[in-house]
Amino acid sequence: MRWSMIVIFLAIIIGGFTFMAFSVDSVISNITLGLDLQGGFEILYKVVPVNEEQQVTQSLLHDTYTALYRRVDAMGVSEPDLRVEGEDRIRVRLAGVHDPEEARRFLSTEARLSFRNTEDEFLFGGEHLKEGSARAVFDEYNRPIVMLEFKDPDLIRQITSEYLHDIIVIWLDFDEETDSFREEMLKEDPKFLSAPEVKSVLSTEASITGFQSYEEAEELASLLNAGALPVQLEELTARSVSPTLGERALDLTVRAGMIGGALIALYMLLYYRLPGLVAALALFFYVYFILVVFNWMNAVLTLPGIAALVLGIGMAVDANIITNERIKEEIRSGKTMMSSFRAGSKRSLRTIMDANITTIIAAGVLFYFGDFAIQGFALMLIVSIVLSLVTAVLGSRLLLGLLVASRAFDNKPRWFGVKESEISEL
Amino acid sequence: MNFNFDPESSRFQFVKHRYKYFLVSAVLIGLGLVIIAVLGLNLGVDFESGSTLEILIQGQPFTTEDVQAVFAELGLEPGDIRLIGNNNEIAEVRFIGTLDQEEINRVREAFAERFGEIDINESTVSPLVARELANQAVYGILLASLAVIIYVAIRFEYRFGIAAIIALFHDALFIVAVFALLRLEVDLTFIAAVLTIVGYSINDTIVIFDRLRENMKFAKLKRVEDLEQLVNRSIVENLPRTLNTSITVVFAALALYLLGGEGIRNFSFALLIGLLAGTYSSIFIAAQLWFEWKKRELKKKMFQPQNA
């Protein structure tokens, strides 16, 4: 008997498990949870041209994306997730945002600022604002206002001198077809932002008044700073998940996954004995690596993702099962333990590779042609297959190889789940 | 417990009874198609325009009628109310047509007033998006099937590939039919479940075919009986692996189904049925289809003159 092999085996197991035990917390805490697990708000927009001349092109889509990103940034959402989907869609995922209505308003407002006269004629627009200059402050009467700065003092001076002692109406998202100052001024809550009288000729600065609260002024300031949207956004789908329900789903699913995994490990141990033990140990490495790779890819863990992971455990075990069955067959044919192990490993490798390559091809095609949701799933499938190959083929094989090489189990077929009576004479 | 079967023993004659399996599957699939055609699928909010609210009520016990009453007071008419969760602590309410934010706020207030501590998830969707996704999934599966057939044709032979794909569609259709029959809600996670089963089904079938290919190398196929024995032998030799893999994966799916919470209950149920169908089809359908096909080729060869 060669103790050195047993020692190496134990060293790998103890070392590996110690390492996993100490690092698993940091791995788990770095994983980004999907909306369904941590709560938040998700919305899918269709980009609609503002007028007939405009066409939705890649560059327009990109501009819209950038504008939306700046807004999300202004909302102070950590790790927002925005992506362009297909030809004309943008999906926004805001984890941890629990006021869907506010988020909706903030995202889809076009934020086209325009200055008009009382006859609704366009004087100048938000493009003349100095970038990032809008700020919410309190005026001398302690009312919240938004201060603006202009890029082109000459133009502003010219217009304000023309409208001196007259009213300039400040609009947000003025609709040429339906909005009119005359109608709105009679309403209690008019649609325009404010309609100040021009008291002196302005050149660089102006202010907007008439806010109910400082927050409202602040919101407009950040919208103006984030920039106008070049398009209209039409809401296709929206989903909000409360943090309580998300956390509950996470707890339940993780617990179910652990119980499922434990049952699998126990079954492997009882059925395959020694190789089963190795398979069960390899499972821990598999789950750990999946989490590490997930982190490393910056992937977002969602409910179906966890389910795919748990199912992946079953798939990872399959490679072990194929190998172990082969080894048993070889033992039954009367070969020695060492040559049974070698032959079983070698002959099962091709089966495992062919079966898994076929599945990877299918997943790869789904990934390439599928859209976003299918892609996430296909990617998860590919990652778990590759990792299950690494842990089951390389990992289990190395560990079992060490045990077999120790010669401690020579002539002990029962350790491999084979009865002596089943072994045929060579 | 041990699944060690003697391949030479006559207890397991899978090939002999193949027409029975074909018949069973044909009847099931036929019935399934009829069910799908007649009943249609119970499409979730993902496929139908509307809102779904999930209301977690922890304040006090309640019944569907209580929930109904609150909505009646609000003047809202839900399309469907179900109690879900392990202790029925969540009311899932579906509306045809979309609720606006003001209505949702009123719902929130009314429920908080009536039941105390509550929490609400809301989702609205345009059916267009989900339909596109479903179409893409179908399109993706078709393309993936083609790619698999090509790979298998190169590595093995094209007959294996096509038989594996038929088994795959058998399994996918079976899940869809069961969902139609039980009126279970079909949503986007259902598509994910079908895709998982597609992967599993291919994997399961290919392992059996691999054994067939290996055994074929040493086999002298002169008569149809030789071929029958070869297929039977390959299936029997692979039985422990097929059963054990199914058992372990079923453990995982079952744990998710029973304990995993309502968000993935339908998903794990679809997986469970798919796993059973997948295991069945690789033993009883895929290998047998290949046998039928190969038999024809063998017969053709037998009747060809040797010196032609």
Side-chain angles (χ1 to χ4, degrees):
Chain A
M1 185 160 161
R2 293 161 66 191
W3 282 102
S4 58
M5 295 296 161
I6 303 270
V7 171
I8 297 174
F9 173 84
L10 288 176
I12 292 176
I13 294 299
I14 294 170
F17 273 74
T18 315
F19 179 75
M20 289 196 290
F22 279 106
S23 57
V24 73
D25 271 350
S26 75
V27 172
I28 287 177
S29 63
N30 278 330
I31 286 182
T32 317
L33 293 177
L35 286 181
D36 46 0
L37 298 176
Q38 69 157 317
F41 181 58
E42 171 179 335
I43 197 160
L44 178 63
Y45 285 119
K46 184 182 160 107
V47 172
V48 183
V50 274
N51 53 41
E52 279 166 19
E53 290 107 69
Q54 199 182 31
Q55 289 203 328
V56 180
T57 59
Q58 279 300 313
S59 75
L60 183 66
L61 213 52
H62 182 76
D63 291 346
T64 313
Y65 175 91
T66 316
L68 275 176
Y69 203 94
R70 280 201 300 263
R71 284 188 188 184
V72 170
D73 217 29
M75 286 168 77
V77 176
S78 64
E79 301 189 46
D81 178 11
L82 279 84
R83 46 189 98 199
V84 173
E85 285 179 25
E87 306 277 296
D88 59 353
R89 287 176 193 174
I90 297 178
R91 189 184 294 271
V92 181
R93 293 183 159 170
L94 306 173
V97 166
H98 304 307
D99 187 347
E101 193 47 25
E102 191 193 324
R104 261 197 188 107
R105 200 179 57 227
F106 199 77
L107 284 175
S108 62
T109 308
E110 286 159 52
R112 276 181 298 114
L113 195 68
S114 60
F115 295 79
R116 290 165 193 270
N117 65 18
T118 50
E119 301 300 319
D120 300 328
E121 281 164 32
F122 180 80
L123 302 176
F124 60 95
E127 67 274 12
H128 290 289
L129 290 181
K130 205 186 259 181
E131 271 166 38
S133 69
R135 60 188 196 278
V137 290
F138 289 101
D139 66 3
E140 62 263 42
Y141 309 106
N142 214 24
R143 293 176 307 184
I145 59 167
V146 172
M147 293 296 297
L148 307 171
E149 282 178 49
F150 297 105
K151 278 192 279 200
D152 187 354
D154 293 338
L155 178 84
I156 308 303
R157 192 178 298 128
Q158 188 205 325
I159 292 172
T160 47
S161 54
E162 193 183 323
Y163 283 90
L164 196 62
H165 305 303
D166 203 344
I167 287 172
I168 288 185
V169 192
I170 307 174
W171 290 86
L172 195 65
D173 296 345
F174 181 82
D175 188 329
E176 300 279 353
E177 278 161 27
T178 57
D179 290 342
S180 102
F181 173 67
R182 285 180 195 288
E183 279 174 32
E184 292 292 327
M185 67 179 287
L186 302 172
K187 292 183 186 166
E188 205 172 296
D189 182 21
K191 201 195 146 190
F192 53 81
L193 292 172
S194 62
E197 189 192 329
V198 184
K199 292 190 181 123
S200 58
V201 175
L202 301 173
S203 56
T204 54
E205 281 199 330
S207 62
I208 304 174
T209 56
F211 297 101
Q212 305 287 340
S213 66
Y214 181 72
E215 283 70 35
E216 206 181 306
E218 218 177 14
E219 186 180 311
L220 180 67
S222 32
L223 270 177
L224 292 177
N225 285 336
L229 283 184
V231 291
Q232 280 184 336
L233 294 177
E234 185 189 312
E235 183 178 322
L236 288 179
T237 68
R239 187 162 70 121
S240 88
V241 177
S242 91
T244 323
L245 281 164
E247 199 183 319
R248 190 170 168 278
L250 179 64
D251 288 348
L252 285 174
T253 312
V254 167
R255 201 187 58 175
M258 282 178 174
I259 292 174
L263 281 175
I264 291 175
L266 191 68
Y267 181 83
M268 290 299 285
L269 185 64
L270 291 178
Y271 192 95
Y272 288 108
R273 317 283 169 90
L274 192 66
L277 173 72
V278 170
L281 293 173
L283 268 191
F284 283 94
F285 286 99
Y286 166 76
V287 174
Y288 180 81
F289 284 139
I290 281 264
L291 295 177
V292 170
V293 169
F294 242 69
N295 250 349
W296 172 68
M297 294 197 316
N298 278 324
V300 177
L301 194 62
T302 59
L303 209 49
I306 296 183
L309 195 158
V310 174
L311 203 77
I313 295 178
M315 298 279 213
V317 169
D318 181 52
N320 282 298
I321 289 177
I322 293 176
T323 311
N324 296 345
E325 284 297 336
R326 274 291 180 168
I327 294 175
K328 279 168 82 169
E329 277 176 48
E330 303 295 336
I331 295 175
R332 279 192 212 112
S333 75
K335 287 189 185 147
T336 65
M337 210 49 89
M338 195 62 198
S339 57
S340 294
F341 168 74
R342 286 212 180 111
S345 300
K346 196 170 144 241
R347 294 177 72 186
S348 59
L349 184 64
R350 206 180 57 177
T351 314
I352 295 170
M353 291 311 281
D354 269 333
N356 284 302
I357 288 173
T358 318
T359 319
I360 288 180
I361 287 176
V365 172
L366 284 176
F367 181 79
Y368 193 75
F369 291 100
D371 97 327
F372 164 73
I374 294 177
Q375 274 186 347
F377 190 79
L379 189 66
M380 182 71 208
L381 198 60
I382 294 173
V383 169
S384 57
I385 292 171
V386 171
L387 283 177
S388 76
L389 284 178
V390 172
T391 55
V393 175
L394 292 178
S396 304
R397 202 151 289 193
L398 170 76
L399 292 175
L400 193 59
L402 286 169
L403 291 179
V404 170
S406 77
R407 311 203 145 271
F409 304 97
D410 281 5
N411 299 318
K412 286 176 185 151
R414 281 176 176 277
W415 283 84
F416 288 77
V418 177
K419 293 191 191 104
E420 278 87 353
S421 60
E422 292 170 344
I423 299 174
S424 53
E425 297 296 323
L426 262 183
Chain B
M1 184 175 53
N2 221 334
F3 303 122
N4 294 328
F5 307 105
D6 181 4
E8 310 303 332
S9 83
S10 58
R11 268 177 63 213
F12 295 100
Q13 291 297 339
F14 290 105
V15 182
K16 207 169 165 184
H17 302 290
R18 63 190 178 280
Y19 292 116
K20 290 178 198 161
Y21 315 135
F22 291 157
L23 188 68
V24 168
S25 281
V27 168
L28 281 178
I29 293 302
L31 273 177
L33 286 175
V34 171
I35 289 166
I36 296 169
V38 175
L39 295 176
L41 286 168
N42 174 18
L43 297 175
V45 71
D46 289 352
F47 292 93
E48 270 178 308
S49 207
S51 294
T52 297
L53 299 181
E54 277 181 300
I55 311 173
L56 173 69
I57 302 178
Q58 288 172 320
Q60 48 176 287
F62 64 100
T63 63
T64 316
E65 284 73 38
D66 296 338
V67 176
Q68 180 80 50
V70 177
F71 281 108
E73 270 172 43
L74 289 169
L76 293 171
E77 210 178 306
D80 179 32
I81 300 178
R82 281 195 313 147
L83 298 190
I84 53 178
N86 292 337
N87 305 311
N88 286 340
E89 67 274 41
I90 298 175
E92 189 192 64
V93 188
R94 280 167 66 185
F95 288 91
I96 297 163
T98 317
L99 295 185
D100 61 29
Q101 197 55 39
E102 196 202 330
E103 284 169 318
I104 290 169
N105 286 341
R106 277 167 53 211
V107 169
R108 191 185 294 275
E109 279 161 26
F111 271 87
E113 198 180 304
R114 170 79 174 75
F115 298 108
E117 198 184 328
I118 61 147
D119 234 304
I120 296 186
N121 279 355
E122 56 157 304
S123 48
T124 61
V125 88
S126 100
L128 195 72
V129 180
R131 272 180 213 288
E132 267 171 33
L133 189 60
N135 286 343
Q136 263 183 339
V138 171
Y139 183 63
I141 292 176
L142 290 177
L143 278 174
S145 303
L146 197 66
V148 167
I149 292 176
I150 293 172
Y151 176 77
V152 173
I154 295 168
R155 288 284 295 163
F156 302 66
E157 58 168 65
Y158 71 96
R159 287 186 198 87
F160 280 134
I162 292 173
I165 296 305
I166 293 175
L168 181 163
F169 279 99
H170 169 276
D171 303 341
L173 202 60
F174 189 72
I175 310 179
V176 176
V178 169
F179 265 64
L181 181 66
L182 299 179
R183 310 309 299 150
L184 292 171
E185 194 176 303
V186 170
D187 55 12
L188 291 183
T189 58
F190 177 76
I191 295 177
V194 173
L195 294 179
T196 315
I197 291 307
V198 166
Y200 176 82
S201 173
I202 293 177
N203 192 300
D204 207 35
T205 310
I206 293 299
V207 173
I208 291 185
F209 281 166
D210 184 73
R211 181 60 70 110
L212 250 172
R213 174 180 66 175
E214 191 186 304
N215 284 344
M216 236 163 37
K217 272 193 233 153
F218 306 104
K220 291 193 183 75
L221 299 176
K222 285 188 183 143
R223 295 167 306 149
V224 174
E225 287 75 42
D226 297 336
L227 188 66
E228 183 175 333
Q229 212 169 30
L230 170 82
V231 175
N232 204 56
R233 185 190 156 89
S234 305
I235 294 175
V236 172
E237 282 176 351
N238 241 320
L239 219 43
R241 176 266 165 186
T242 307
L243 292 178
N244 279 338
T245 297
S246 297
I247 287 171
T248 51
V249 186
V250 163
F251 277 154
L254 202 62
L256 285 176
Y257 176 68
L258 294 177
L259 307 166
E262 36 298 319
I264 51 167
R265 186 143 298 164
N266 274 0
F267 174 86
S268 18
F269 183 67
L271 285 184
L272 267 178
I273 313 171
L275 290 174
L276 298 179
T279 309
Y280 169 84
S281 71
S282 22
I283 299 178
F284 296 99
I285 301 295
Q288 321 286 357
L289 278 176
W290 180 83
F291 169 73
E292 277 297 312
W293 205 342
K294 196 75 179 173
K295 190 177 83 180
R296 305 242 153 108
E297 190 203 59
L298 193 69
K299 276 187 180 161
K300 227 189 263 170
K301 262 191 203 152
M302 270 162 36
F303 293 117
Q304 265 168 6
Q306 293 295 315
N307 53 358

